[in-house]
Amino acid sequence: MSVPGIGFPGPWRLRSGAEEYELLVMRAVTALDERECVPAEHITWQLDHWLTSARRPLLEMYEALGGILPWNASSLDRARQDARVRDRLVQALERRELVALRVQRRAASWAWPEPALPPPRPEPEVIPLARPPVEVFTLFPDPARQAEALRQAAAAGVPFCEECEKQKQRAAA
C-alpha cells in the first residue's frame, strides 16, 4: 500500500556538496539533449547519501517509477526497503527512465544581501560662539606694571616673599 500524495512525476532537486541536480522521470520530459544529462554513475554514487539526508524525494521517485511503498514498515524493514528503493533508482538511471540535470544552485534562504548603507548625513553648519578670544597665558602679562608694584612694596617696607621675610627675622634674632 502506498502513501497517498507522494507519487508525482517530479522534478526533484537534490544537493550534493556544491552541486545541485534536478532529477526527472523521462516520460514526463518531451525532449532532452544528452549533453545536458549528468552520467548515471555520478548520481548512483550519491544515492546512499541521499537515502539518509533526503529520503522523501527518493521515495517519491520510487513511487513515480511504479514502486509501491508499504504503510507499516518497521525499523527492521527500513534497511531492506532502502536497498530495494536504491536498486530500482539505479536501474531507472541506467535505463534512462530517470535522468539528472545539473542546475544552477538557488540562493539559500540564509544568505542575506549586502546591507544598504544609509545616505550620508549632511554636515551641520558651524555656528560661531559669542565668546571673547582666549588670552594667551604668559608668565608676566605686563612687566611694566609688575616692576611698579615691586617698587611701591619696597618703599612701603612690605616683604616680597615669605622666604625673604624668614631670613630677615633669623638675622635679627
Side-chain angles (χ1 to χ4, degrees):
M1 180 173 202
S2 178
V3 177
I6 287 185
F8 67 92
W12 299 274
R13 280 194 172 212
L14 294 169
R15 185 178 300 168
S16 171
E19 301 289 330
E20 192 164 326
Y21 303 100
E22 188 170 276
L23 286 97
L24 307 159
V25 175
M26 211 39 197
R27 64 178 170 256
V29 178
T30 54
L32 194 62
D33 186 12
E34 288 294 322
R35 291 174 288 173
E36 295 177 359
C37 296
V38 177
E41 298 82 24
H42 187 70
I43 301 301
T44 302
W45 182 68
Q46 299 293 331
L47 286 176
D48 291 324
H49 169 68
W50 288 333
L51 273 170
T52 57
S53 64
R55 190 167 190 259
R56 186 172 175 92
L58 297 183
L59 297 178
E60 290 174 358
M61 285 181 233
Y62 179 72
E63 281 200 337
L65 292 168
I68 298 174
L69 294 171
W71 260 112
N72 304 0
S74 68
S75 59
L76 297 174
D77 292 333
R78 184 174 175 177
R80 278 181 276 170
Q81 179 184 353
D82 287 351
R84 190 169 46 249
V85 167
R86 186 188 187 291
D87 292 341
R88 176 64 181 114
L89 293 177
V90 167
Q91 184 183 34
L93 284 163
E94 290 172 350
R95 292 181 180 174
R96 291 290 203 197
E97 297 172 24
L98 188 65
V99 291
L101 306 173
R102 187 173 283 119
V103 293
Q104 287 285 0
R105 192 168 181 178
R106 294 179 284 194
S109 61
W110 50 265
W112 296 96
E114 290 294 322
L117 296 174
R121 290 187 288 176
E123 292 292 325
E125 292 183 26
V126 179
I127 301 172
L129 299 174
R131 278 194 254 167
V134 177
E135 294 181 16
V136 180
F137 175 77
T138 59
L139 191 55
F140 303 107
D142 191 3
R145 287 182 59 200
Q146 186 178 10
E148 183 60 32
L150 290 173
R151 276 191 216 110
Q152 289 174 3
V158 178
F160 294 122
C161 69
E162 193 174 331
E163 294 295 321
C164 297
E165 186 61 30
K166 285 180 185 176
Q167 282 180 355
K168 195 186 229 184
Q169 287 176 0
R170 274 191 232 131

